[in-house]
Amino acid sequence: MSQKQLKEAFVSNLNGTTLLEISLGFCVAPLCLLCRGLLLILYYLHYGKPLSSRKYYFLLDFIVLISPLLFCCTVLSPVIFYIPLVIAAICAGIFYKIYSQRKHDSRVSFRQTVNDFQKTCLDAEYIPSITLFRVYVNVLTSISILAVDFPQYPRRYAKAETYGTGLMDLGVGAFVFGNALVCPEVRQKSCLTQTKFSFLTRRFFSIWPLIFLGVGRLVSVKSIEYHEHISEYGVHWNFFFTLAFVRLAASLILTKFPKSRSWIVALNLAVFYQLILNTTSLKMFVLHGSNGKDTRVGFLNANREGLLSLFGYLAIYMASVQIGLYLLKHRNSVKEWIEALCSLILMVLVLFLFLHLSQAHMDPVSRRMANLPYCLWVLAHCLTFFVCFVVIDLMLVFTKLLVSGASVPCSWNVLQPAHSDKKHDTETMPVKGESKSLHVCLITAIDKNQLLFFLLANVITGIVNIMIDTIHSKTLFTLGVLHLYMFFNCLIMYILHAKNIVLKFW
């Protein structure tokens, strides 16, 4: 077999992993974020000032926020069930140290602190969990697209061939979910000041970078005979085309249907598509082609997975629009967000219940078809991931209340602690105007240039695969390559953000 065929076989015919393993793996990123926040608060408690060195800030962010994910996707994957417990124990130790050192200078009881915490006013204009979710989906995807070509990346995490739930199977669905949370319709920037025609024209113009990148990827892959997994999207289709067409189709639908009822559109799309898959020969066509022998003759046959899965991804997008509208409701206190958190957890439980029923009575999860179980799985896991970030954000708010003046970038701004003097409107917590150096953090840096970050990851992945025999790489070499790859990508984003450069011109 040629090197190209070896690499294609290396990522083919896989069956995924369990839902529990993916759920536990998703807990690692929020816990790392909590650990970073607690370390910054502890530093402030010790030195009376925030960490101001950008160099040390970047190193701290990379070591605490990125490096653990690389290890969990490779050498620590056999013990992934214990990793969240270890990080949680470290966080508990840091929190105990913060609380024990702080309580000597305060007579406020723990119970009073909890009561004040519930009444604390938050910045309703900025929901950090949305940013954190979108950035970490990008980071995890960027790690996986290169790591999957190394033997240290567990095969169960790679994309399943037909049915199954691999970590990478969540990739496109999570990107669709994240895009819908911040789409113009959710942010109330749609047709209020524009005609429908001008709005749609603007939306069409906004997807041209994705079309351009899709064409660029297609041309480059075919011209250098780069290895590709054909059953993923098809011969010519790819990730960028899917994102572009889903966004455009959703905008068209939302000009006809009220966005407050987008969940109805999502439900009808997913159920109707599943019924067609089960009652017609469409499922056999997706899996085996029109002749039943996996033909790729003709555009539809060649790209059947990418084209027909659009129905499932569009359903995920429409459902995510509804979730985004719920999340962006005006809430300015911790108590209101705790109530919202309870609703989100209930929603997650309902989705997992329907996922179990759909897999028992219809089909297993299939990313290749983007069937109804896949839609439910993506929504359930994305909401679980988001809920974890909300919980972590609230824990950091509580800790910041213990240490007056402490601040953590990319966490909720505390506008008015419950015990402060409202007459003087004194802020004991930093808000949007806090030290600029605090905002030069890795999460914010990636968020400002997310498309560039992902594009750069794809380009470097291609270069590494051309230059290195990844399949036969040793463990230390693999870890070194992956760390250098992510370090370079993150450093570029960090430098751009430090210089206030946003490479977006569409």
Side-chain angles (χ1 to χ4, degrees):
M1 295 176 70
S2 67
Q3 188 71 8
K4 178 175 181 290
Q5 291 172 322
L6 281 172
K7 290 193 173 185
E8 287 174 353
F10 193 58
V11 295
S12 300
N13 302 312
L14 305 173
N15 298 314
T17 184
T18 63
L19 300 181
L20 178 61
E21 183 171 14
I22 293 177
S23 298
L24 285 173
F26 268 8
C27 292
V28 173
L31 285 170
C32 288
L33 198 76
L34 176 62
C35 186
R36 190 276 298 255
L38 293 175
L39 285 172
L40 290 174
I41 294 172
L42 183 62
Y43 181 92
Y44 181 87
L45 185 62
H46 273 217
Y47 297 99
K49 62 179 182 179
L51 181 63
S52 56
S53 170
R54 291 182 175 180
K55 176 176 66 175
Y56 292 135
Y57 230 119
F58 174 73
L59 290 175
L60 175 67
D61 280 356
F62 186 82
I63 292 171
V64 180
L65 301 182
I66 305 297
S67 192
L69 303 181
L70 285 167
F71 282 108
C72 286
C73 287
T74 51
V75 293
L76 294 182
S77 58
V79 292
I80 191 66
F81 289 90
Y82 302 103
I83 302 302
L85 295 176
V86 172
I87 301 176
I90 294 172
C91 291
I94 299 172
F95 177 81
Y96 177 77
K97 190 165 186 177
I98 292 171
Y99 184 76
S100 61
Q101 291 187 6
R102 162 264 174 198
K103 69 180 180 181
H104 297 302
D105 303 321
S106 175
R107 295 182 180 179
V108 180
S109 66
F110 184 81
R111 185 173 183 178
Q112 182 61 45
T113 303
V114 172
N115 291 334
D116 290 342
F117 168 65
Q118 294 183 34
K119 299 172 186 176
T120 297
C121 293
L122 303 174
D123 181 3
E125 301 299 319
Y126 174 57
I127 304 173
S129 301
I130 294 177
T131 299
L132 294 169
F133 174 87
R134 298 181 73 242
V135 167
Y136 263 108
V137 165
N138 207 334
V139 168
L140 287 167
T141 304
S142 298
I143 291 172
S144 295
I145 59 175
L146 177 58
V148 71
D149 294 313
F150 290 90
Q152 289 75 20
Y153 189 87
R155 296 301 89 194
R156 66 184 185 277
Y157 289 179
K159 290 180 179 176
E161 186 69 27
T162 301
Y163 296 107
T165 53
L167 176 63
M168 292 186 70
D169 288 310
L170 271 175
V172 187
F175 263 98
V176 169
F177 182 92
N179 280 348
L181 293 184
V182 296
C183 70
E185 292 85 357
V186 169
R187 290 178 290 147
Q188 313 296 328
K189 293 183 178 179
S190 53
C191 303
L192 296 177
T193 58
Q194 309 174 58
T195 64
K196 287 184 178 181
F197 177 77
S198 63
F199 173 69
L200 286 175
T201 302
R202 185 174 179 82
R203 291 295 284 155
F204 183 78
F205 181 72
S206 71
I207 68 167
W208 78 260
L210 292 172
I211 300 293
F212 177 78
L213 292 173
V215 173
R217 175 178 171 78
L218 173 63
V219 172
S220 60
V221 165
K222 299 301 179 185
S223 61
I224 64 174
E225 295 188 352
Y226 189 78
H227 68 279
E228 53 184 330
H229 193 187
I230 296 296
S231 64
E232 186 177 345
Y233 296 106
V235 178
H236 312 104
W237 204 262
N238 59 51
F239 167 86
F240 297 108
F241 291 144
T242 293
L243 282 185
F245 279 90
V246 165
R247 285 174 58 176
L248 185 59
S251 294
L252 289 169
I253 292 172
L254 291 171
T255 60
K256 298 296 182 182
F257 293 91
K259 57 190 176 184
S260 60
R261 297 289 181 269
S262 58
W263 70 272
I264 298 176
V265 179
L267 183 62
N268 280 300
L269 266 173
V271 171
F272 184 65
Y273 176 51
Q274 183 64 48
L275 285 174
I276 293 177
L277 285 172
N278 284 357
T279 58
T280 68
S281 59
L282 186 63
K283 184 191 299 183
M284 294 301 296
F285 172 72
V286 175
L287 299 180
H288 305 293
S290 58
N291 66 351
K293 298 179 180 179
D294 202 26
T295 179
R296 294 288 174 178
V297 178
F299 183 78
L300 185 57
N301 267 306
N303 304 285
R304 55 184 184 267
E305 294 92 350
L307 292 171
L308 292 171
S309 64
L310 287 175
F311 292 102
Y313 290 122
L314 184 56
I316 293 171
Y317 191 98
M318 297 302 293
S320 305
V321 166
Q322 189 75 57
I323 294 170
L325 291 171
Y326 177 74
L327 294 176
L328 290 184
K329 285 183 178 179
H330 187 80
R331 300 181 184 91
N332 59 3
S333 73
V334 168
K335 186 176 181 180
E336 289 177 315
W337 269 104
I338 291 176
E339 292 171 355
L341 189 61
C342 293
S343 298
L344 291 174
I345 293 173
L346 179 61
M347 198 183 304
V348 168
L349 294 176
V350 170
L351 285 168
F352 273 116
L353 174 62
F354 280 114
L355 171 61
H356 174 74
L357 293 174
S358 64
Q359 289 202 101
H361 300 287
M362 294 181 191
D363 279 331
V365 171
S366 174
R367 170 205 42 84
R368 190 172 176 183
M369 291 182 281
N371 57 3
L372 176 60
Y374 177 78
C375 296
L376 292 169
W377 177 58
V378 167
L379 290 170
H381 267 90
C382 286
L383 265 182
T384 302
F385 200 31
F386 183 84
V387 163
C388 289
F389 283 123
V390 175
V391 171
I392 294 306
D393 273 331
L394 291 175
M395 292 174 72
L396 288 175
V397 168
F398 181 81
T399 311
K400 286 192 288 185
L401 290 177
L402 296 176
V403 183
S404 179
S407 182
V408 178
C410 292
S411 67
W412 254 309
N413 295 321
V414 178
L415 298 182
Q416 182 86 45
H419 54 77
S420 65
D421 185 357
K422 294 184 180 179
K423 290 182 180 179
H424 295 88
D425 197 29
T426 303
E427 293 177 357
T428 60
M429 297 294 157
V431 290
K432 289 183 179 178
E434 65 188 6
S435 175
K436 187 179 178 181
S437 64
L438 288 178
H439 287 290
V440 187
C441 76
L442 189 54
I443 299 295
T444 308
I446 296 174
D447 181 52
K448 292 295 183 183
N449 286 290
Q450 287 214 47
L451 186 57
L452 177 65
F453 179 82
F454 186 69
L455 177 60
L456 188 58
N458 274 267
V459 171
I460 298 175
T461 295
I463 293 172
V464 171
N465 269 283
I466 291 171
M467 297 178 62
I468 296 174
D469 179 12
T470 57
I471 297 178
H472 301 101
S473 296
K474 301 297 182 181
T475 301
L476 287 177
F477 179 78
T478 298
L479 291 174
V481 169
L482 291 177
H483 274 84
L484 282 174
Y485 154 72
M486 287 303 297
F487 186 86
F488 176 76
N489 205 349
C490 291
L491 182 61
I492 295 297
M493 299 303 109
Y494 197 79
I495 292 171
L496 289 175
H497 181 55
K499 296 182 178 297
N500 199 28
I501 298 174
V502 179
L503 297 179
K504 183 176 180 179
F505 45 85
W506 52 89

